[in-house]
Amino acid sequence: MRITKHGIIYSGEHEPMLSSCAFPGICQLHDGTMMASFKGAETKGPYNKTDRAMFCISTDNGENWSEPRAFFEPPVVDGKPTTIRTGYFVEVTPGHVMAVINAVDATMEDLPYYNEETEGLKDTYIMVAHSLDGGANWSDLERIQVSTFYDMPLPLTGAPFVTKEGRVGIQFEVNKPYYETAYWVHHSCAVFSDDGGYTWGDEVVITDCPTVYYWDQRLDTLADGTVTDIFWTFDRDKGDYVNIHYCESQDGGRTFGDLIDTGLVGQPGNVIDGFNGEILAVYINRDSVPEIRLAQSLDHGKTWADVMTVYTYGKDTKGKKNAGMNDVWSEMAAFSIGHPYMERMQDGSIWVYFYSGPSIHRTDFHFIKIEQ
């Protein structure tokens, strides 16, 4: 494998209201159009009142990109105004594009998104809209209520995906309400649609360990139909991260196998097919100088080995050692590089994309093209 190109899809350098880019996503449609989405904000956090889900379009294989535009006007949910924190696209069938967003309650906009006293989140809603003309026109946003976790905050953990049999999946995690003081158990989950994303059910709880948070999961589908899932893993008793964990589903996301310790250290992106029958995982290791790396597995995730460093940040950003949840949230707000993800493009190349910049409030949407 070799790196053939490194580019920037969007830089917030000249637009203060979008100077912090995060949560990147890329969807290439069947006609070759590329839709790149990201969260733009005036600052990275911990507040969310300037968050805006944006996207850019390329019609020439990523050589040039449009100016960013907003996904939608922030909806009113249960009588409350919202901000749109994140958004992603997936092409369900040729020409049928679905947008998935997280809308966040804006009635408490002067409070941080995460409550340090309770470990709760503001109300966070999953909403979808559909376009039947490749993204030119959109239906109204509609909220997805997950029956098992009705009215709980449900942050998206990555892009929606389509299984080999055509089921549409949305990945999310479950947090507790902002002022809830009871002990809570973190869940990584997915919810599925069998009719192209119009009705939803069949939610699947993938992890629900009371002492280990398998969070920031990244779900994807391999060519053979395997649904892959990989987790940034935080041990609550130790007060620190442990190795990345991985699991698979062989029945289209209905059930998942045992969690596997990958031996990899850091925050993962997704897992996709490689070039020669292997599977590839992208992840970032921030132990000293942050590096985005590719690891491969030849045995469906049982063992992993690094095969390439994709990007090196260039300076040591390691802060204090974690001691608990509040330290973790503070540390995340201080990252100036992260959220690596991969997409296989129609020309056979793999794009690794992520956010990176000179400071926590000045980050750009990068991509690196990899070919065999």
Side-chain angles (χ1 to χ4, degrees), residues 275-295:
F275 292 104
N276 297 299
E278 79 281 17
I279 59 175
L280 297 175
V282 64
Y283 71 104
I284 181 168
N285 185 318
R286 297 189 183 89
D287 272 359
S288 55
V289 176
E291 289 186 337
I292 294 175
R293 302 174 181 170
L294 287 186

Side-chain angles (χ1 to χ4, degrees), residues 175-186:
N175 289 72
K176 67 176 180 177
Y178 201 77
Y179 291 113
E180 174 62 58
T181 58
Y183 186 88
W184 66 289
V185 177
H186 178 272

Side-chain angles (χ1 to χ4, degrees), residues 73-370:
E73 287 296 316
V76 175
V77 180
D78 292 340
K80 300 176 182 178
T82 66
T83 57
I84 299 181
R85 180 173 172 82
T86 54
Y88 302 96
F89 299 106
V90 66
E91 188 171 39
V92 178
T93 57
H96 174 192
V97 183
M98 186 180 77
V100 182
I101 67 145
N102 259 156
V104 178
D105 177 8
T107 61
M108 301 185 294
E109 66 175 12
D110 291 325
L111 296 176
Y113 180 56
Y114 166 75
N115 187 338
E116 289 189 354
E117 294 182 3
T118 66
E119 300 182 358
L121 292 185
K122 294 180 181 180
D123 288 343
T124 303
Y125 317 106
I126 298 174
M127 307 188 76
V128 300
H130 296 267
S131 171
L132 299 180
D133 53 13
N137 297 281
W138 291 92
S139 68
D140 292 336
L141 287 165
E142 294 188 2
R143 183 181 178 185
I144 296 175
Q145 279 280 23
V146 179
S147 59
T148 307
F149 304 105
Y150 197 86
D151 271 350
M152 300 290 281
L154 304 179
L156 298 170
T157 56
F161 59 100
V162 180
T163 69
K164 192 172 184 179
E165 64 187 282
R167 301 173 81 214
V168 185
I170 292 175
Q171 53 182 305
F172 64 95
E173 56 192 12
V174 181
N175 289 72
K176 67 176 180 177
Y178 201 77
Y179 291 113
E180 174 62 58
T181 58
Y183 186 88
W184 66 289
V185 177
H186 178 272
H187 299 77
S188 284
C189 305
V191 64
F192 289 91
S193 171
D194 292 319
D195 62 2
Y198 290 97
T199 60
W200 297 86
D202 299 325
E203 63 263 26
V204 178
V205 175
I206 303 169
T207 68
D208 61 351
C209 179
T211 58
V212 179
Y213 297 161
Y214 300 98
W215 59 10
D216 250 27
Q217 67 172 342
R218 304 286 189 258
L219 284 152
D220 219 319
T221 304
L222 302 180
D224 68 2
T226 300
V227 176
T228 61
D229 203 356
I230 193 165
F231 306 88
W232 199 13
T233 309
F234 180 80
D235 188 312
R236 186 166 189 160
D237 290 341
K238 292 181 179 178
D240 207 352
Y241 290 102
V242 293
N243 291 343
I244 294 167
H245 281 66
Y246 174 76
C247 66
E248 292 184 344
S249 170
Q250 300 300 328
D251 57 7
R254 293 171 178 85
T255 61
F256 284 80
D258 294 337
L259 288 163
I260 298 169
D261 184 333
T262 66
L264 306 173
V265 176
Q267 178 186 17
N270 54 334
V271 174
I272 67 171
D273 291 291
F275 292 104
N276 297 299
E278 79 281 17
I279 59 175
L280 297 175
V282 64
Y283 71 104
I284 181 168
N285 185 318
R286 297 189 183 89
D287 272 359
S288 55
V289 176
E291 289 186 337
I292 294 175
R293 302 174 181 170
L294 287 186
Q296 75 171 13
S297 175
L298 303 175
D299 53 12
H300 269 272
K302 295 181 180 65
T303 59
W304 294 84
D306 276 317
V307 291
M308 175 184 284
T309 296
V310 175
Y311 182 83
T312 300
Y313 186 66
K315 59 182 179 180
D316 192 329
T317 61
K318 184 64 177 176
K320 65 183 183 330
K321 182 179 176 62
N322 298 320
M325 282 291 292
N326 291 342
D327 290 336
V328 167
W329 277 87
S330 296
E331 185 181 44
M332 283 191 285
F335 292 154
S336 51
I337 174 175
H339 287 128
Y341 221 84
M342 294 185 288
E343 192 74 26
R344 175 61 63 83
M345 299 303 177
Q346 291 175 3
D347 64 4
S349 66
I350 291 173
W351 280 33
V352 175
Y353 51 93
F354 51 95
Y355 75 86
S356 181
S359 69
I360 60 174
H361 303 309
R362 258 291 299 117
T363 51
D364 306 321
F365 188 159
H366 291 248
F367 75 89
I368 288 176
K369 184 176 181 179
I370 296 174

